[in-house]
Every structure is written in C-alpha cells, then in structure tokens.
C-alpha cells in the first residue's frame, strides 16, 4: 500500500482510504469513518461487476448533516422491518438487537468499543460529540452463534494475527449485551484466543 498509514489516534481510520484507493476486492459491511469529530467517508461493498469491490459514497451524500443520520439509521436497521411489527413486546425485542459497532477513541486514551442497538443508534449519532473512529454495520455471523473478531498488529518486520471468540451465545438474553459481544475488549475468562499465525 502506498502512503503513510499512521494515525494520531488509536483507530487506524486511514486504512479504509488505502483499501478504497487500491480498488481492493474486499467485502465489508457499511463503514462510516469519523475524523476529528467530522464524518469523513461512508464505505460499502459493491458487487456490480461480479466480484466484491470497496466503494464510498459521494461527499455530497456524506455531508448532509442531520438528514444523513436518518439515512444511516435506515441503512443499518432496514433488515429489522420495525415499521411492520405491531406487537409491542416483539418490537422491543427486535429493537434491542445489535445493528452497529463503534470503535473509536481520543488521543492518549484507549479505544472504546460500543455495540449499538436499533434503539441506541440515533442517540449515538446525534449526541456523541467529537467522534474519531469507525461505525460499522453489524452483521450477524452466519455460521456460528458466537461473536468473533480478528486483530492484526503490523510493523515493517512482524505481523501478528489472532482471533478471539466470545464463549457466550449471541442470542442468550440471560447475559448482558456487552458481555455477549465482547472480544478483545472483554475479560479473558469470557473469550477464547487463537493465534492465527
């Protein structure tokens, strides 16, 4: 990859720009990148030409202000079909499902990981203040019932990859949401670590 990939903050948001610039054939969920309190880009995967291709929305679409936030909420929650659910208990259950994951931080502070539900996403977008990081649409794992994340630590001489799997089932409502979703940011007793390389 060309260019300098360093960020002053704990989240490497410039990686998305590099992947987009190199026309990476990669499939990722909708990902919104904030830099220093301003929404910078909205990346998504397109399969128009057969294979997956990372694309980004036009700047005019991204910088629409509060109207844009309603577009984000719609894009991240449309699969839930909340407007078609009449039973209040069922609606509350569906609205409590995770729809997004925020990974961000401020200089000299550790990264913050938040899992947002359909109910908490709008409030997060409008009231969270000076964001720097990535908000990514949450996709339910298709082959397993446990949350899994891969972390890559890179330097010019060494690449370390490890995967951490949460031992709690995603749909176990007896366990708090934050505990079911945690991987690297959670306690070791709730996860299983696997070195990939």
């Amino acid at each position: 990859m060309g260019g300098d990939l360093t960020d002053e903050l704990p989240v490497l948001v410039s990686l998305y720009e590099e992947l987009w610039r190199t026309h990476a054939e990669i499939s990722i969920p909708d990902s919104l990148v904030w830099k220093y309190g301003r929404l910078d880009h909205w990346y998504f995967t397109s399969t128009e030409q057969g294979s997956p291709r990372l694309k980004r929305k036009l700047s005019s679409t991204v910088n629409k202000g509060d109207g844009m936030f309603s577009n984000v909420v719609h894009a991240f929650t449309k699969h839930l079909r909340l407007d078609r659910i009449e039973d209040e208990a069922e609606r509350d259950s569906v609205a409590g499902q995770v729809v997004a994951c925020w990974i961000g931080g401020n200089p000299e502070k550790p990264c913050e990981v938040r899992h947002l539900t359909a109910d908490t996403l709008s409030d997060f977008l409008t009231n969270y203040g000076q964001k720097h990081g990535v908000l990514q649409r949450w996709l339910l794992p298709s082959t397993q019932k446990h949350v899994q994340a891969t972390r890559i630590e890179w330097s010019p001489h060494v690449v370390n990859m490890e995967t951490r799997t949460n031992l709690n089932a995603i749909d176990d409502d007896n366990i708090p949401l934050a505990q079911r979703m945690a991987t690297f940011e959670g306690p070791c007793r709730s996860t299983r670590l696997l070195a990939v390389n």
Side-chain angles (χ1 to χ4, degrees), residues 102-150:
W102 165 259
I103 301 175
N106 292 312
E108 301 175 13
K109 290 188 178 178
C111 276
E112 175 188 16
V113 177
R114 283 188 177 188
H115 293 92
L116 304 165
T117 64
D119 283 341
T120 61
L121 180 60
S122 293
D123 186 56
F124 173 83
L125 289 170
T126 55
N127 298 320
Y128 189 58
Q130 295 297 309
K131 299 174 183 71
H132 182 89
V134 177
L135 179 70
Q136 196 167 64
R137 186 166 58 96
W138 174 257
L139 299 178
L140 191 63
S142 58
T143 59
Q144 60 188 28
K145 296 186 79 138
H146 301 272
V147 174
Q148 187 177 61
T150 301

Side-chain angles (χ1 to χ4, degrees), residues 35-153:
K35 289 186 180 178
Y36 307 103
R38 183 179 74 79
L39 179 58
D40 194 48
H41 292 293
W42 182 337
Y43 295 95
F44 64 99
T45 299
S46 171
T47 55
E48 291 174 356
Q49 299 167 345
S51 60
R53 187 74 58 155
L54 187 62
K55 300 233 177 169
R56 72 179 183 195
K57 294 188 183 282
L58 298 172
S59 295
S60 58
T61 303
V62 172
N63 296 317
K64 281 187 176 176
D66 290 340
M68 186 278 310
F69 289 152
S70 63
N71 292 341
V72 172
V73 171
H74 175 73
F76 282 37
T77 62
K78 65 184 174 189
H79 68 284
L80 299 177
R81 302 177 184 240
L82 291 171
D83 55 334
R84 296 183 182 182
I85 301 174
E86 293 181 19
D87 180 54
E88 189 174 328
E90 183 182 353
R91 190 208 171 283
D92 289 346
S93 173
V94 172
Q97 292 181 15
V98 174
V99 296
C101 179
W102 165 259
I103 301 175
N106 292 312
E108 301 175 13
K109 290 188 178 178
C111 276
E112 175 188 16
V113 177
R114 283 188 177 188
H115 293 92
L116 304 165
T117 64
D119 283 341
T120 61
L121 180 60
S122 293
D123 186 56
F124 173 83
L125 289 170
T126 55
N127 298 320
Y128 189 58
Q130 295 297 309
K131 299 174 183 71
H132 182 89
V134 177
L135 179 70
Q136 196 167 64
R137 186 166 58 96
W138 174 257
L139 299 178
L140 191 63
S142 58
T143 59
Q144 60 188 28
K145 296 186 79 138
H146 301 272
V147 174
Q148 187 177 61
T150 301
R151 177 170 62 187
I152 303 170
E153 294 176 342

Side-chain angles (χ1 to χ4, degrees), residues 164-184:
R164 192 172 287 271
T165 304
N166 191 303
L167 299 175
N168 300 304
I170 294 171
D171 57 357
D172 186 351
D173 291 334
N174 296 319
I175 297 173
L177 179 64
Q179 200 172 333
R180 288 181 274 151
M181 303 302 290
T183 54
F184 290 99

